[in-house]
């Protein structure tokens, strides 16, 4: 059975796109047909995995300008990974999010339902914020996992997100699950990071941590998944690889 | 002469950082049992009876939904006592 996951916190810079792309790659490398849907008008996930010009994007699919199959790309360097892209420049998703989606809050849910027949796993990469586009995407997901950085603004963000999500679930009648967080850019030498991690473990969330690893940024610069990137023979730190595998092995259950 | 460094006894132990305090508060709150969510339920009722009830609830400072919930809770309590 297909499963759809969103990695979301309305705060920017916590690693939503990096984690979405990395976990999508991990899932695909493990042999599952995986679709990464770029629901961010900036189109960062798209430019990470694809170079070149395309004819169709997500907003065209949502507005019925093309068939969904016309817009989905196979990523040649990663078997089983597919992308439903958004154009960062000249794209129509931002305008669509500001206008038409207000009349059709379940449009992403309908799209995901259709895609679930083709893909084992679907990941929605969202932009920061909690506007109509993000709300529509959240209720289209089976599960939301919150990435955060170990600092006070992320904690504020998580508190706000928990509160807002309850309202979204109630108003849009959604059963979406939210019981996992990922503490990203974790540095065990920093006491603040350890304090936040330990406090998080004491709550009801399942908590993962991803260490600081420069390979994420370098892999993105080279349009590659972090798992396959090597510079002078070196790739992700072993502890990072373990963290990614732990997240991947848990979230798709 | 080289001597081992000695801890200054007047040093104040560092308390939790702001973020550690915030994290403890947030996740402690999060681990509390959550209030049960409500489900939507619908039923039909005669308009005149509805008006009477609305008037009664209004005098009690209750809206329609809150009034119905209150009335059902009272009924349930009374019934439970009888049993």
């Amino acid at each position: 059975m297909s499963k759809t996951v969103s990695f979301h916190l309305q705060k920017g810079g916590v690693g939503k796109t990096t984690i979405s792309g990395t976990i999508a790659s991990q899932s695909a490398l493990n042999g599952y047909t995986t679709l990464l849907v770029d629901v961010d008008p900036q189109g960062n996930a798209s430019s990470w995995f694809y170079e070149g010009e395309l004819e169709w994007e997500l907003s065209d699919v949502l507005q019925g300008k093309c068939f969904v199959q016309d817009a989905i790309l196979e990523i040649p360097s990663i078997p089983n990974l597919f992308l439903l892209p958004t154009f960062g420049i000249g794209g129509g998703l931002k305008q669509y999010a500001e206008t038409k989606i207000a009349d059709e809050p379940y449009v992403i849910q309908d799209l995901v339902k259709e895609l679930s027949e083709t893909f084992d796993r679907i990941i929605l990469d969202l932009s920061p914020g909690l506007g109509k586009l993000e709300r529509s995407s959240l209720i289209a997901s089976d599960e939301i996992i919150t990435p955060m950085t170990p600092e006070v603004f992320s904690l504020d963000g998580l508190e706000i997100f928990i509160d807002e999500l309850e309202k979204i679930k109630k108003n849009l009648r959604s059963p979406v699950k939210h019981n996992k967080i990922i503490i990203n850019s974790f540095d065990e030498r920093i006491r603040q990071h350890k304090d936040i991690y330990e406090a998080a473990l004491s709550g009801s969330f399942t908590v993962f941590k991803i260490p600081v690893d420069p390979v994420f940024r370098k892999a993105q610069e080279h349009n590659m998944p972090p798992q396959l990137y090597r510079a002078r023979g070196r790739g992700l730190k072993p502890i990072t690889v373990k963290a990614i595998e732990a997240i991947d092995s848990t979230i798709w259950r | 002469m080289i001597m081992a460094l000695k801890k200054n006894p007047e040093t104040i132990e560092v308390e939790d950082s702001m973020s550690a305090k915030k994290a403890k508060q947030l996740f402690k709150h999060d681990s509390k049992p959550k209030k049960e969510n409500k489900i939507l339920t619908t039923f039909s009722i005669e308009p005149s009876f509805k008006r009477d009830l609305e008037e009664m609830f209004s005098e009690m400072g209750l809206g329609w939904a809150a009034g119905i919930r209150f009335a059902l809770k009272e009924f349930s309590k009374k019934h439970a006592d009888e049993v």
Side-chain angles (χ1 to χ4, degrees):
Chain A
M1 196 179 143
S2 180
K3 182 169 179 180
T4 302
V5 170
S6 293
F7 294 92
H8 195 63
L9 183 68
Q10 73 281 2
K11 185 184 178 302
V14 294
K16 289 184 281 296
T17 300
T18 300
I19 292 171
S20 297
T22 302
I23 297 299
S25 301
Q26 187 68 33
S27 169
L29 291 167
N30 287 342
Y32 293 93
T33 312
T34 306
L35 177 68
L36 178 60
V37 184
D38 194 346
V39 200
D40 180 353
Q42 292 193 78
N44 294 136
S46 304
S47 55
W48 174 4
F49 289 103
Y50 192 83
E51 279 183 296
E53 292 187 2
L54 294 163
E55 189 173 0
W56 304 112
E57 60 164 351
L58 171 65
S59 77
D60 295 319
V61 176
L62 296 176
Q63 294 174 90
K65 294 179 184 172
C66 68
F67 294 110
V68 66
Q69 297 87 340
D70 298 334
I72 290 176
L73 308 166
E74 195 170 352
I75 305 301
S77 58
I78 313 160
N80 309 310
L81 182 62
F82 297 81
L83 172 70
L84 180 46
T86 282
F87 306 151
I89 298 171
L93 189 60
K94 187 168 184 289
Q95 195 187 4
Y96 177 78
E98 288 167 354
T99 55
K100 296 182 186 170
I101 203 166
D103 298 327
E104 39 196 20
Y106 297 100
V107 68
I108 309 270
Q109 198 172 64
D110 292 345
L111 175 66
V112 163
K113 197 173 175 189
E114 190 182 332
L115 293 167
S116 299
E117 290 169 15
T118 311
F119 296 94
D120 299 325
R121 295 165 173 185
I122 299 168
I123 292 179
L124 308 180
D125 182 36
L126 313 187
S127 57
L130 264 177
K132 291 189 172 67
L133 183 62
E134 290 74 42
R135 286 162 199 261
S136 295
S137 304
L138 293 176
I139 61 154
S141 310
D142 297 303
E143 180 163 11
I144 302 162
I145 298 166
T146 291
M148 57 176 284
T149 43
E151 39 80 35
V152 74
F153 291 138
S154 266
L155 292 166
D156 282 345
L158 179 59
E159 190 174 20
I160 294 165
F161 184 65
I162 290 169
D163 189 50
E164 287 294 320
L165 185 62
E166 279 307 309
K167 290 180 209 162
I168 295 168
K169 285 173 69 172
K170 186 181 171 197
N171 294 339
L172 297 171
R173 313 263 194 272
S174 165
V176 63
K177 280 199 295 179
H178 179 237
N179 54 24
K180 297 183 182 74
I181 57 173
I182 299 172
I183 299 183
N184 192 22
S185 302
F186 182 84
D187 188 334
E188 62 180 3
R189 296 166 300 179
I190 301 174
R191 185 182 159 185
Q192 182 190 21
H193 290 196
K194 286 200 287 188
D195 288 346
I196 291 174
Y197 178 66
E198 277 162 21
L201 284 177
S202 71
S204 62
F205 283 101
T206 302
V207 187
F208 301 94
K209 58 183 175 183
I210 296 179
V212 177
D213 197 321
V215 167
F216 287 114
R217 178 179 49 78
K218 290 177 187 168
Q220 286 165 345
E221 286 169 4
H222 289 83
N223 304 103
M224 288 182 72
Q227 293 91 335
L228 301 183
Y229 179 80
R230 296 282 181 283
R232 295 177 195 151
R234 297 181 107 179
L236 287 168
K237 295 173 189 171
I239 192 174
T240 312
V241 173
K242 272 191 184 173
I244 295 167
E245 286 171 353
I247 295 167
D248 177 76
S249 67
T250 309
I251 65 171
W252 301 114
R253 282 176 197 160
Chain B
M1 192 169 73
I2 298 171
M3 288 179 70
L5 287 177
K6 201 171 164 187
K7 186 179 177 182
N8 179 351
E10 287 172 21
T11 307
I12 300 164
E13 282 294 318
V14 181
E15 287 181 11
D16 278 351
S17 64
M18 276 298 290
S19 47
K21 278 184 191 165
K22 171 83 190 175
K24 281 180 185 167
Q25 184 198 344
L26 171 66
F27 291 111
K28 190 179 166 193
H29 172 72
D30 152 71
S31 62
K32 278 184 191 169
K34 280 184 181 164
K35 202 174 148 189
E36 195 180 3
N37 286 331
K38 294 182 181 69
I39 54 161
L40 188 71
T41 182
T42 55
F43 58 93
S44 303
I45 186 171
E46 293 82 358
S48 57
F49 184 36
K50 186 171 187 233
R51 274 194 299 276
D52 291 346
L53 287 173
E54 275 175 334
E55 214 170 284
M56 189 199 301
F57 295 151
S58 174
E59 282 168 15
M60 297 163 77
L62 298 171
W64 173 247
I68 292 289
R69 273 197 296 269
F70 173 75
L72 288 174
K73 273 182 191 162
E74 287 301 302
F75 172 82
S76 164
K77 263 194 258 172
K78 190 179 169 196
H79 184 68
D81 289 346
E82 281 171 7
V83 174

